[in-house]
Amino acid sequence: MTHSPEQAERIRKVQRTGAYLLLIVCTAAFLLPLLWMITTSLKDARSVLEFPPRFLPEEFHWENYWNAWNSTSFNRFLANSVLLTGLQVIGSLISCVLPAYAFARLRSRLRGPMFAAMLATMMIPGQVTLVPKFIMFSKLDMVDTYWPIVLPSFFGTALYIFLLRQFFTTIPQELVDSARIDGAGELRILWRIMIPLSKPAIATVTLMAFIGNWSEYLDPLIYLRTTELYTVPLGIALFRGQFEQQYQLMMAVSLMALVPVVVVFLAAQKHFIRGITMTGISGR
Amino acid sequence: MAAGPLARRESRRFLLFALPWVIGFVFFSGGPIIASIAISFTQWDLLGTPRWIGLDNYDKLLGDDVFWTALDNTLYFGAGSAVLSVIVNLAMALLLNMRLRGQAIFRTIIYMPSVLSGIATALLWIHVLHPDYGLINHLLGSVGIQGPGWLIDQDWAVPGLILMSVWTTGNAMIIFLAGLQGVPVSLYEAAQLDGAGWWSRFRHVTVPMMSPVIFFNLVVGFIGSLQAFQLILFMTDGAPGNASLVLGLYVYRYAFKFFDMGYASTIAWALFFVVIVFTALQFLLARRWVHYEHR
């Protein structure tokens, strides 16, 4: 089966156009739920329960956002989430950079077995540790406080340590050796050489920790009882009960909760993609 | 090799730097894992003292009909989500890899839901899947199909959840894209010279060359989807009946609804066992279809 060059060129063009159309249709399928979220958030209470539904609102009800914000303690939940996520990100950075440096650059007979133990913990389902951790924190009388949510972040997360360690091992040993000869201690090497040369990995871990903790639902659900302590995801669950069938308000609240994530993602998506290609898994 | 004073000093520094993780391991991961094994041999409602009951919980598990239902649902959801996500994301990666204009924008849009995934998007999907007012049945209706009772109907609860989960697996697409860029162009050129059309190029070049990456995404995706339950807890809480009850959710139910810490731990270990068995099974089957270039 042979074609003249012109024919082959035409077939290629048709195939490319077909692929392009297919790509647009498929991508639209991914985008559509998010667009639906936006249009629903601008409808009035009557038209969200219209059958058959229509995609665009008849008129734009921007006041839904104002009403959703006011009819709940959204600002309170937002402040709580900002505080918690901020602490968790700081804790993760400190407690993952140090062990990652140890696993990458400091020799010890314990290093191999400990690294294997760390990887092993990554394979055990989270459900296994759920019960013992809850028992421990309730015996410590920490239920309904932020301690059970914040404390673990300050004691290393296997995935982040693994990711940082992979990056640290790529930094030339000569740089470390020559700093040692100049009399630099480990902390100085870490601060002056490893961290500046690993900015992409640090950024990746920061983003993963931010996104993961911002949308965490289970830990706050298990540990928090007092409404004043609720985070944004718990707040949304609370609104779902209050706003029965008022989808325009639920979508408005959800969109407000997603704004920080969208902004961070669009500003730094290359770091997310780097994180995935480095570890094969996303941080969730 | 005798450890000199220098080596010993470096070993001490290693421990000092690793200390945050060591403490975390003792209290938040390794320690609780061991404690969980012990708890699974007890009856404990958290208020009283734990009572050692040996293998009673495991015995109860084998005769627990709800457990077997939950296992069924877990495998259905897990396999459905993992397989569908591999198909969808591989297709999207193939399209993106044609280096069409605007590739970065398409990639951003497809990957975005994975980053947004959480309670907010779960609430969105409750609305999107609503049988009467939802987007999906609206679209199905516009081409003349009567949409099913997503999340509400016994038979359509798990498919609805699978649909949502596939929407948030864009990371598989990123990994496929990276893998596709490693397939030598010369292989496609040679196939084209032999007169191979796009399907046979896909079948005989892309699939074998990509099989390690497909395998990776399948294994990682399946491990993840077998454990998934947070969004299911929020969206259906196992309803209708126990049609969308998965093992992770069953653990949660026994721990935080029935306060039976021993049995909850037993179910958690059963889940671990299921994950290990099905991962091992995939590695065994991999010998038949995964093709490694360098052995």
Side-chain angles (χ1 to χ4, degrees):
Chain A
M1 195 166 67
T2 45
H3 300 290
S4 68
E6 301 88 67
Q7 261 180 319
E9 182 57 30
R10 202 175 317 138
I11 290 172
R12 238 175 58 84
K13 245 186 179 154
V14 169
Q15 278 183 347
R16 274 183 89 80
T17 314
Y20 211 50
L21 285 174
L22 198 59
L23 182 62
I24 290 171
V25 170
C26 293
T27 310
F30 275 82
L31 193 58
L32 220 49
L34 292 173
L35 295 177
W36 172 256
M37 192 177 200
I38 297 171
T39 58
T40 304
S41 75
L42 295 169
K43 291 177 183 171
D44 60 31
R46 190 184 46 81
S47 57
V48 290
L49 300 179
E50 206 171 27
F51 185 82
R54 59 181 89 212
F55 198 83
L56 289 171
E58 283 162 66
E59 45 187 308
F60 295 97
H61 292 270
W62 296 100
E63 75 276 8
N64 285 344
Y65 286 86
W66 184 243
N67 292 340
W69 181 288
N70 281 321
S71 64
T72 62
S73 317
F74 193 75
N75 47 359
R76 181 68 195 249
F77 303 150
L78 201 62
N80 292 343
S81 271
V82 169
L83 172 75
L84 277 183
T85 308
L87 286 172
Q88 285 167 316
V89 169
I90 292 168
S92 299
L93 281 177
I94 298 169
S95 69
C96 293
V97 163
L98 294 171
Y101 178 71
F103 283 124
R105 284 301 148 99
L106 296 171
R107 276 159 305 179
S108 162
R109 269 182 314 175
L110 292 169
R111 186 168 79 176
M114 277 167 62
F115 194 62
M118 187 180 83
L119 294 184
T121 60
M122 287 172 70
M123 291 168 205
I124 308 267
Q127 284 89 347
V128 167
T129 54
L130 195 65
V131 168
K133 276 197 286 188
F134 181 77
I135 293 174
M136 178 176 72
F137 283 120
S138 52
K139 295 293 170 200
L140 291 169
D141 218 10
M142 286 179 175
V143 171
D144 206 23
T145 70
Y146 284 156
W147 289 111
I149 297 163
V150 172
L151 216 51
S153 303
F154 279 81
F155 294 98
T157 304
L159 174 69
Y160 304 154
I161 296 174
F162 179 54
L163 193 150
L164 288 168
R165 180 251 179 204
Q166 297 304 88
F167 211 92
F168 286 168
T169 51
T170 64
I171 292 169
Q173 181 66 31
E174 298 87 70
L175 283 176
V176 179
D177 288 341
S178 63
R180 279 224 180 94
I181 291 167
D182 291 345
E186 306 297 346
L187 270 179
R188 202 178 158 78
I189 292 170
L190 182 59
W191 187 248
R192 284 289 162 83
I193 296 173
M194 304 309 256
I195 291 179
L197 288 177
S198 314
K199 274 185 196 143
I202 305 266
T204 304
V205 168
T206 309
L207 292 168
M208 282 181 160
F210 168 73
I211 302 285
N213 288 314
W214 183 261
S215 42
E216 172 66 29
Y217 174 58
L218 190 64
D219 274 352
L221 177 74
I222 289 171
Y223 290 110
L224 301 180
R225 305 270 190 273
T226 314
T227 314
E228 279 73 46
L229 294 178
Y230 276 15
T231 57
V232 170
L234 280 190
I236 293 177
L238 192 71
F239 304 155
R240 183 189 172 195
Q242 286 174 0
F243 294 161
E244 191 122 12
Q245 302 272 10
Q246 301 221 53
Y247 288 107
Q248 76 285 9
L249 296 182
M250 289 196 247
M251 292 302 113
V253 160
S254 301
L255 269 166
M256 289 192 283
L258 290 180
V259 167
V261 183
V262 172
V263 170
V264 167
F265 170 64
L266 290 181
Q269 48 165 320
K270 67 171 189 205
H271 294 299
F272 284 95
I273 287 159
R274 188 193 304 267
I276 293 166
T277 36
M278 271 171 65
T279 60
I281 17 182
S282 58
R284 317 285 313 282
Chain B
M1 196 175 74
L6 267 176
R8 243 178 288 143
R9 210 173 70 175
E10 190 167 344
S11 190
R12 271 205 306 276
R13 281 188 191 155
F14 168 81
L15 274 180
L16 193 67
F17 274 75
L19 195 62
W21 173 78
V22 173
I23 298 172
F25 179 77
V26 171
F27 290 102
F28 305 124
S29 58
I33 288 168
I34 292 162
S36 170
I37 300 175
I39 295 168
S40 76
F41 295 118
T42 68
Q43 189 174 48
W44 195 6
D45 65 359
L46 210 55
L47 296 173
T49 45
R51 194 165 60 87
W52 189 267
I53 54 169
L55 289 170
D56 281 8
N57 280 328
Y58 290 87
D59 204 36
K60 177 179 168 188
L61 190 77
L62 296 177
D64 180 357
D65 288 340
V66 181
F67 165 74
W68 293 105
T69 305
L71 178 59
D72 255 13
N73 295 338
T74 306
L75 293 175
Y76 180 20
F77 173 80
S81 169
V83 170
L84 200 60
S85 115
V86 161
I87 293 169
V88 168
N89 286 299
L90 182 57
M92 296 313 288
L94 284 168
L95 286 172
L96 279 177
N97 199 40
M98 294 182 80
R99 291 166 212 285
L100 304 162
R101 274 161 66 95
Q103 191 201 40
I105 298 169
F106 289 115
R107 191 182 62 182
T108 303
I109 293 173
I110 297 164
Y111 181 54
M112 179 120 82
S114 315
V115 181
L116 301 184
S117 170
I119 292 305
T121 54
L123 192 55
L124 164 66
W125 274 84
I126 289 173
H127 187 40
V128 164
L129 291 170
H130 195 290
D132 297 327
Y133 317 124
L135 173 67
I136 292 196
N137 280 2
H138 173 50
L139 291 176
L140 288 176
S142 63
V143 293
I145 301 170
Q146 166 79 52
W150 303 103
L151 302 185
I152 293 168
D153 189 314
Q154 195 89 14
D155 296 327
W156 289 96
V158 174
L161 294 169
I162 290 174
L163 220 52
M164 182 197 68
S165 79
V166 170
W167 188 63
T168 62
T169 51
N171 54 317
M173 188 266 297
I174 305 279
I175 294 168
F176 278 135
L177 207 51
L180 283 171
Q181 276 150 16
V183 179
V185 183
S186 58
L187 288 179
Y188 288 110
E189 285 166 355
Q192 203 144 21
L193 280 180
D194 290 344
W198 69 269
W199 172 252
S200 82
R201 286 202 302 273
F202 172 73
R203 181 71 195 75
H204 298 294
V205 179
T206 311
V207 171
M209 290 304 286
M210 286 290 284
S211 58
V213 186
I214 297 172
F215 176 65
F216 175 85
N217 272 333
L218 207 56
V219 168
V220 171
F222 202 39
I223 291 176
S225 57
L226 285 175
Q227 298 174 31
F229 84 100
Q230 287 200 34
L231 299 185
I232 301 177
L233 166 69
F234 176 74
M235 289 174 75
T236 64
D237 197 10
N242 285 326
S244 64
L245 177 69
V246 291
L247 285 176
L249 188 53
Y250 202 39
V251 174
Y252 174 86
R253 206 176 264 185
Y254 262 95
F256 302 107
K257 291 275 191 306
F258 308 151
F259 294 100
D260 186 340
M261 297 302 163
Y263 195 53
S265 300
T266 308
I267 305 164
W269 282 105
L271 173 61
F272 173 64
F273 184 71
V274 169
V275 171
I276 290 290
V277 165
F278 278 86
T279 306
L281 207 64
Q282 287 192 75
F283 271 92
L284 279 179
L285 288 173
R287 290 187 198 159
R288 289 165 178 267
W289 68 275
V290 178
H291 166 87
Y292 289 103
E293 195 68 352
H294 309 285
R295 271 282 185 195

